[in-house]
Amino acid sequence: MKIAILPGDGIGTEIMAEAVRVLEALDLPGMELQDGLVGAAAWRVHGHPLPPETLALMHECDAILFGAVGDPECDALPRHLRPEQAVLGMRKELGLFANLRPAKVFPGLEDRSSLRAEVAGAIDLMIVRELNGDVYFGDKGMRTTAIGEREGYDIMSYSESEVRRIAHVAFRTARGRRGQLCSVDKANVLETSQLWREVMIEVAADYPDVTLDHMYVDNAAMQLVREPGRFDTIVTGNLFGDILSDQASMCVGSIGLLASASLGTQQTASGTKGAYEPIHGSAPDIAGKGLANPVAMILSAAMMLRHSFALETEALRIETAVADALNAGALGGDLGGNMGTRAIGDAVLAALG
Ligand code: IPM
Ligand code: MG
């Protein structure tokens, strides 16, 4: 169980410390943690947000716990040196194409949602976001038009095989849940989405036990706040998944609550190699103040135990401890409480027993 610990920037360091405390409290035999630098933290030391030594560590490990990257100091750097390139580079280099982002309301926190409590109470969904393609990784650049204007461009594309492999992950995920898959696209406007939809329908033939429906992304954004309980599993592309998962987090209550797993095809001794990170960013405005909510990071560690190490019991133990701590009032400023990062970590550890 070799795990790379990559806190990254901003609040990444503070929330990672809590996740590591929780992991260490489980006292798992064979667990080996190795620290590394990513993002602006790596750029300051090595001149690159994803230096070769960190990439080598990522390749060596069975799983990666990833905090957050991003630093305003780097805003003016050329794109390939910006902290965000560390997370994009990791996803691409390791072939982590499937991003699982569960969103479920916590008992007792229904009234912390941006939605009415009775609407929020029904949320239990999983966003399966494609993570290796789309407009994120297409050709991009700046050019000058015929009339001398500057023009930025980013090419959006998906190949059939890229859609097919995420479709299979999504159908299998839906099969393990309530058997309902909603594919989100913009097929009324985009060719990329037209193909996406066609392939989803083709793959559906292999999963007669899963119900597939399709939704345009604008409608999905609306339904997510109108009746989020209607969703079981959502599958969508890289860009739409990025946006909808942030939206889903506020439906649950705070972006500080949502974890994620990024998986590819590489296997570990007992599961799938993956990277695990909160869906939120480095929050430079509150960094270093001990105010950040560590829950998303702690829940990411639980997802790691489940997917990379087949430690379902231990994953559930962490998830139950988090739910119990939240229910007992371990809330930070993001949820209307006044507890800091360390105190929330303490509450989770106490609930772990
Ligand atoms: C996320 C983040 C990243 C993304 C950024 C940091 C590049 O917003 O994981 O959702 O856009 O994928
Ligand atoms: Mg995002």
Side-chain angles (χ1 to χ4, degrees):
M1 285 177 65
K2 225 174 166 188
I3 303 166
I5 301 292
L6 308 175
D9 306 321
I11 59 169
T13 321
E14 300 151 63
I15 59 174
M16 183 65 83
E18 301 312 313
V20 166
R21 284 209 298 155
V22 168
L23 281 176
E24 284 175 342
L26 293 177
D27 205 12
L28 301 167
M31 188 178 80
E32 198 187 307
L33 307 182
Q34 296 209 12
D35 296 322
L37 292 173
V38 278
W43 169 76
R44 283 196 189 92
V45 176
H46 300 288
H48 197 279
L50 185 53
E53 37 277 84
T54 304
L55 202 51
L57 176 63
M58 287 172 169
H59 279 294
E60 270 163 39
C61 285
D62 300 305
I64 298 158
L65 259 193
F66 196 102
V69 288
D71 190 317
E73 221 186 274
C74 300
D75 284 353
L77 289 176
R79 185 165 301 282
H80 73 281
L81 290 179
R82 295 213 206 143
E84 290 77 9
Q85 293 307 309
V87 71
L88 299 176
M90 171 184 73
R91 292 167 181 176
K92 198 67 175 176
E93 284 285 328
L94 300 182
L96 307 174
F97 68 88
N99 188 210
L100 308 181
R101 299 190 155 186
K104 188 176 176 172
V105 89
F106 290 90
L109 262 65
E110 296 83 354
D111 63 343
R112 304 292 151 146
S113 168
S114 297
L115 308 177
R116 287 196 311 280
E118 68 270 23
V119 178
I123 300 173
D124 180 1
L125 61 89
M126 175 74 89
I127 297 176
V128 180
R129 171 190 177 196
E130 200 290 329
L131 210 55
N132 269 189
D134 203 352
V135 69
Y136 269 62
F137 292 100
D139 188 27
K140 60 179 76 232
M142 290 284 182
R143 59 193 170 201
T144 309
T145 67
I147 61 159
E149 255 195 325
R150 285 172 304 161
E151 183 175 69
Y153 64 94
D154 302 84
I155 305 294
M156 174 183 275
S157 69
Y158 264 125
S159 70
E160 205 174 331
S161 58
E162 284 177 312
V163 182
R164 190 162 286 119
R165 64 181 184 174
I166 193 68
H168 281 288
V169 172
F171 277 100
R172 285 200 303 270
T173 303
R175 175 178 271 174
R177 293 173 48 90
R178 301 192 297 279
Q180 287 160 27
L181 182 61
C182 179
S183 171
V184 171
D185 64 34
K186 189 68 185 173
N188 50 346
V189 177
L190 303 174
E191 285 295 304
T192 313
S193 285
Q194 185 59 46
L195 177 76
W196 176 280
R197 193 175 279 219
E198 281 169 27
V199 174
M200 284 293 155
I201 292 169
E202 287 163 22
V203 175
D206 294 349
Y207 302 85
D209 51 328
V210 175
T211 316
L212 172 69
D213 67 348
H214 307 272
M215 208 181 269
Y216 296 138
V217 63
D218 49 349
N219 184 25
M222 178 182 71
Q223 300 302 337
L224 203 50
V225 292
R226 194 186 76 91
E227 194 193 357
R230 79 165 297 292
F231 293 105
D232 171 24
T233 307
I234 292 173
V235 61
T236 192
N238 207 344
L239 181 64
F240 299 157
D242 179 44
I243 299 166
L244 292 178
S245 54
D246 270 31
Q247 192 184 337
S249 76
M250 286 315 292
C251 297
V252 168
S254 162
I255 195 161
L257 294 174
L258 262 56
S260 86
S262 304
L263 308 170
T265 52
Q266 217 181 312
Q267 297 302 300
T268 64
S270 52
T272 304
K273 175 163 175 160
Y276 302 85
E277 51 171 323
I279 78 154
H280 61 70
S282 58
D285 54 325
I286 57 163
K289 297 182 179 161
L291 295 174
N293 186 349
V295 161
M297 188 76 246
I298 294 170
L299 291 175
S300 298
M303 289 189 89
M304 173 183 76
L305 297 183
R306 170 173 298 124
H307 292 282
S308 289
F309 303 114
L311 294 171
E312 179 64 26
T313 311
E314 287 76 2
L316 273 175
R317 255 189 85 194
I318 296 178
E319 288 163 352
T320 306
V322 166
D324 289 349
L326 290 171
N327 202 8
L331 307 179
D334 57 328
L335 288 162
N338 56 15
M339 269 167 86
T341 312
R342 182 41 59 109
I344 297 172
D346 284 341
V348 173
L349 282 170
L352 257 186

